[in-house]
Amino acid sequence: MGGGSTLVEAQRLGASVMGSDVDPMSVRIVKAELAPVDGKKLRDYGKLLLAHLQANLSWLYPSESAAAPLHYFSIAEVQCPACMEAGPLYRNLILVRDPKKVGAVVRDHALTVFCPLCWKLHYLNSPDRKVLRCCDKRFKIAEGTYRAGAYHCPSCGVASTHRDLKTGMAKRRIVAVEETKANGRRNLRMQSGLDESVQLKAAREWASQRDSLPHPKGEIRAIRSDERPRSYGIKAYENLFTHRQLLVLGHALKWIEENVPEEDFRAALELAVSNSLSTNNKLCGYATDYGRLSALFSVRGYSLPALTVELNPLHETGGRGTLAACIERVAKSDAAKVRRHAWDTQTRRPVPNLFNFSRNHGSSWVGLKNAASTSAPEAIEMIDIAVFDPPYFDFIAYDELSEFHRAWFGELDLAGEPLLPKAENPVQSFGEQLGASLREMAKRARGSNPFAFTYHSANPDAWEAVGLALDFAQLAVTRLWPVRSDGHMGHHSNPGNCEWDVIVVCRPNRDTVKHKLEDTAKGWVSDMAPLDVNDADVRNFTFALEMAKPRFAKVF
């Protein structure tokens, strides 16, 4: 069931819903979505929690003026394994830039950079400035010691990777603190002696309080599809957080445990804290031109920015992913009014639609299980329709990402094996495992009601595996068509990425008769104009249709 969007939309329409997932984090999230707590009461609890944290931990984020610290910019100081010389690892000298983009932070200066020798900040009036003069030297602003995926030692010139340097565990230097002023503007200042002393005190406090506070437990497993973050030298989940972050998050979870008696509200607040983890860790970056923190997993992996940013999670008025913002995000989930966009066939464009949904549907019910979809048939009742989203053949191992959150709740174990192709025989292993899930669902289906799932891949092996799964479960394809999934923007704009899913509808073979499939990839592309379809999706459509043709049928 993943993030639960299908179940939430079905429940809004009055359906009884059931879902399962091997990942316990998925169950936590979907339970909160399907049975949201009263938003007002949750906000009241949130205010008490934030007041407690402010009263006890505001010293972690000091300021010597009326401005409040929001972001702490830092870079790693690494040791070259060839000459043993220490040096700063940075991609360029830019901290923030104001190119006057719509929606970006308005700043007093066009460009703020740092000197890599004396660490002085320089406020420049042109965002296109090429050279910085400082310490009797000329530095190219757009160049640094980290380029082409490696650190280039200024002393000996040897290139080293993050694996060589163990960058994730290297000492970090705070090069600037971004503060918010009373007038709403932001400014950057150098680290002060007070900032340094607070970091030392935070380390001592964490050492003394660690055993009494909730914190992430467990080693990051070595056998994984993505070797990060272990390749950065980070072996334990605790090492993904600063001492300040561990103190704030640990105290937050302890207060919730001790002061919120109702289980559903306690779970909702824990979910808010869990949501804040992606913006309060050592691997957060910064959108230089927009002035926004870039959360971990924004690119669905443990990426390590050269310039990392630590958020003040207690900031009251700004910041992406503060505790206040994350509590509000969960509190909003009880809203009955929602907006959904649908494609208008007359104007040939998406148009917004507002819906009012009631959470009380009388006889409707919810059944969620932390279990594999191949669990015993009696574990799940009979179903009228199955709508689901199986993992893609060459997909991201989401269980490795969710471990980052689960480590805080002692839930590192999964309830079953994730659906992944085995290296020795990827097509057959993936197809048989997906087929086993489909077969169990078919046992629970009433009559010839449909199974509908979304899938995409520009890899022919992936669609071959889907075909094997359908054969294994004795299902025929009775319809398929494309639907836009990822927009042509950001990380999805790579022309090699699929931006369209294919919806596959299937039914038991016994209730169908073979039929010729007339659809073509060229026809689909023509029908979808003026929406863009890239080369990867043309292949995606072609392989989907090739898979479906020998299995296509009509219902009796």
mmCIF file of all heavy atoms in Angstrom, residues 5 35 72 130 160 389 400 419 436 440 488 494 511 527:
data_model
loop_
_atom_site.group_PDB
_atom_site.id
_atom_site.type_symbol
_atom_site.label_atom_id
_atom_site.label_comp_id
_atom_site.label_asym_id
_atom_site.label_seq_id
_atom_site.Cartn_x
_atom_site.Cartn_y
_atom_site.Cartn_z
ATOM 1 N N SER A 5 -2.062 6.397 -0.963
ATOM 2 C CA SER A 5 -2.917 7.324 -1.725
ATOM 3 C C SER A 5 -4.137 6.618 -2.300
ATOM 4 O O SER A 5 -5.250 7.162 -2.277
ATOM 5 C CB SER A 5 -2.109 7.994 -2.832
ATOM 6 O OG SER A 5 -1.513 7.037 -3.682
ATOM 7 N N ALA A 35 -7.425 7.380 9.454
ATOM 8 C CA ALA A 35 -8.149 7.694 10.689
ATOM 9 C C ALA A 35 -7.490 8.908 11.344
ATOM 10 O O ALA A 35 -6.884 8.808 12.418
ATOM 11 C CB ALA A 35 -8.150 6.494 11.634
ATOM 12 N N TYR A 72 22.375 26.556 9.405
ATOM 13 C CA TYR A 72 23.811 26.522 9.642
ATOM 14 C C TYR A 72 24.465 25.818 8.450
ATOM 15 O O TYR A 72 24.227 24.633 8.212
ATOM 16 C CB TYR A 72 24.134 25.763 10.930
ATOM 17 C CG TYR A 72 23.612 26.428 12.190
ATOM 18 C CD1 TYR A 72 22.277 26.263 12.573
ATOM 19 C CD2 TYR A 72 24.437 27.213 12.988
ATOM 20 C CE1 TYR A 72 21.783 26.871 13.719
ATOM 21 C CE2 TYR A 72 23.948 27.818 14.152
ATOM 22 C CZ TYR A 72 22.624 27.645 14.499
ATOM 23 O OH TYR A 72 22.137 28.251 15.639
ATOM 24 N N LYS A 130 32.631 36.345 -11.060
ATOM 25 C CA LYS A 130 33.426 35.156 -11.367
ATOM 26 C C LYS A 130 34.585 34.934 -10.395
ATOM 27 O O LYS A 130 34.985 33.800 -10.160
ATOM 28 C CB LYS A 130 34.000 35.246 -12.781
ATOM 29 C CG LYS A 130 32.980 35.496 -13.874
ATOM 30 C CD LYS A 130 31.995 34.355 -13.993
ATOM 31 C CE LYS A 130 31.048 34.588 -15.174
ATOM 32 N NZ LYS A 130 29.856 33.762 -15.126
ATOM 33 N N SER A 160 40.283 11.808 -4.565
ATOM 34 C CA SER A 160 39.775 10.797 -3.640
ATOM 35 C C SER A 160 38.256 10.857 -3.595
ATOM 36 O O SER A 160 37.668 11.943 -3.638
ATOM 37 C CB SER A 160 40.322 11.021 -2.223
ATOM 38 O OG SER A 160 41.740 11.055 -2.223
ATOM 39 N N ASP A 389 -0.175 -0.810 -6.802
ATOM 40 C CA ASP A 389 0.984 -0.195 -7.454
ATOM 41 C C ASP A 389 2.216 -1.014 -7.097
ATOM 42 O O ASP A 389 2.929 -0.688 -6.147
ATOM 43 C CB ASP A 389 1.112 1.254 -6.950
ATOM 44 C CG ASP A 389 2.235 2.009 -7.619
ATOM 45 O OD1 ASP A 389 2.683 1.588 -8.694
ATOM 46 O OD2 ASP A 389 2.676 3.031 -7.061
ATOM 47 N N GLU A 400 15.170 0.472 2.157
ATOM 48 C CA GLU A 400 16.449 0.984 2.652
ATOM 49 C C GLU A 400 16.331 2.454 3.060
ATOM 50 O O GLU A 400 17.039 2.907 3.963
ATOM 51 C CB GLU A 400 17.526 0.820 1.578
ATOM 52 C CG GLU A 400 17.856 -0.637 1.273
ATOM 53 C CD GLU A 400 18.892 -0.797 0.182
ATOM 54 O OE1 GLU A 400 19.411 0.242 -0.302
ATOM 55 O OE2 GLU A 400 19.191 -1.946 -0.198
ATOM 56 N N LEU A 419 9.817 -6.958 -2.807
ATOM 57 C CA LEU A 419 9.774 -7.457 -4.171
ATOM 58 C C LEU A 419 10.911 -6.841 -4.977
ATOM 59 O O LEU A 419 10.845 -5.699 -5.400
ATOM 60 C CB LEU A 419 8.422 -7.117 -4.810
ATOM 61 C CG LEU A 419 8.219 -7.533 -6.266
ATOM 62 C CD1 LEU A 419 8.532 -9.006 -6.458
ATOM 63 C CD2 LEU A 419 6.793 -7.224 -6.705
ATOM 64 N N ALA A 436 2.985 -14.583 -7.382
ATOM 65 C CA ALA A 436 2.474 -15.182 -6.141
ATOM 66 C C ALA A 436 1.547 -14.214 -5.421
ATOM 67 O O ALA A 436 0.517 -14.610 -4.859
ATOM 68 C CB ALA A 436 3.638 -15.577 -5.241
ATOM 69 N N GLU A 440 -2.637 -14.769 -4.855
ATOM 70 C CA GLU A 440 -3.330 -14.692 -3.569
ATOM 71 C C GLU A 440 -4.500 -13.716 -3.654
ATOM 72 O O GLU A 440 -5.567 -13.951 -3.075
ATOM 73 C CB GLU A 440 -2.362 -14.269 -2.461
ATOM 74 C CG GLU A 440 -1.339 -15.319 -2.095
ATOM 75 C CD GLU A 440 -1.977 -16.605 -1.625
ATOM 76 O OE1 GLU A 440 -3.098 -16.570 -1.066
ATOM 77 O OE2 GLU A 440 -1.381 -17.686 -1.830
ATOM 78 N N HIS A 488 7.253 16.748 -16.041
ATOM 79 C CA HIS A 488 8.533 17.025 -16.705
ATOM 80 C C HIS A 488 9.225 18.178 -15.974
ATOM 81 O O HIS A 488 9.235 19.316 -16.426
ATOM 82 C CB HIS A 488 8.296 17.385 -18.167
ATOM 83 C CG HIS A 488 9.549 17.407 -18.993
ATOM 84 N ND1 HIS A 488 10.169 16.248 -19.422
ATOM 85 C CD2 HIS A 488 10.314 18.423 -19.448
ATOM 86 C CE1 HIS A 488 11.250 16.561 -20.119
ATOM 87 N NE2 HIS A 488 11.356 17.870 -20.146
ATOM 88 N N ASN A 494 15.018 14.160 -16.613
ATOM 89 C CA ASN A 494 15.986 13.410 -17.392
ATOM 90 C C ASN A 494 15.256 12.660 -18.511
ATOM 91 O O ASN A 494 14.303 11.927 -18.247
ATOM 92 C CB ASN A 494 16.710 12.411 -16.477
ATOM 93 C CG ASN A 494 17.861 11.710 -17.173
ATOM 94 O OD1 ASN A 494 17.729 11.268 -18.305
ATOM 95 N ND2 ASN A 494 18.974 11.595 -16.482
ATOM 96 N N ASP A 511 -12.728 -16.406 -16.996
ATOM 97 C CA ASP A 511 -13.892 -15.569 -17.289
ATOM 98 C C ASP A 511 -13.696 -14.723 -18.544
ATOM 99 O O ASP A 511 -14.432 -13.760 -18.762
ATOM 100 C CB ASP A 511 -14.181 -14.640 -16.095
ATOM 101 C CG ASP A 511 -14.457 -15.420 -14.823
ATOM 102 O OD1 ASP A 511 -15.153 -16.443 -14.905
ATOM 103 O OD2 ASP A 511 -13.957 -15.004 -13.762
ATOM 104 N N ASP A 527 -2.952 10.483 -29.384
ATOM 105 C CA ASP A 527 -4.134 10.802 -28.586
ATOM 106 C C ASP A 527 -3.809 11.735 -27.421
ATOM 107 O O ASP A 527 -4.678 12.483 -26.963
ATOM 108 C CB ASP A 527 -4.762 9.518 -28.032
ATOM 109 C CG ASP A 527 -5.428 8.687 -29.115
ATOM 110 O OD1 ASP A 527 -5.697 9.242 -30.194
ATOM 111 O OD2 ASP A 527 -5.658 7.481 -28.884
#
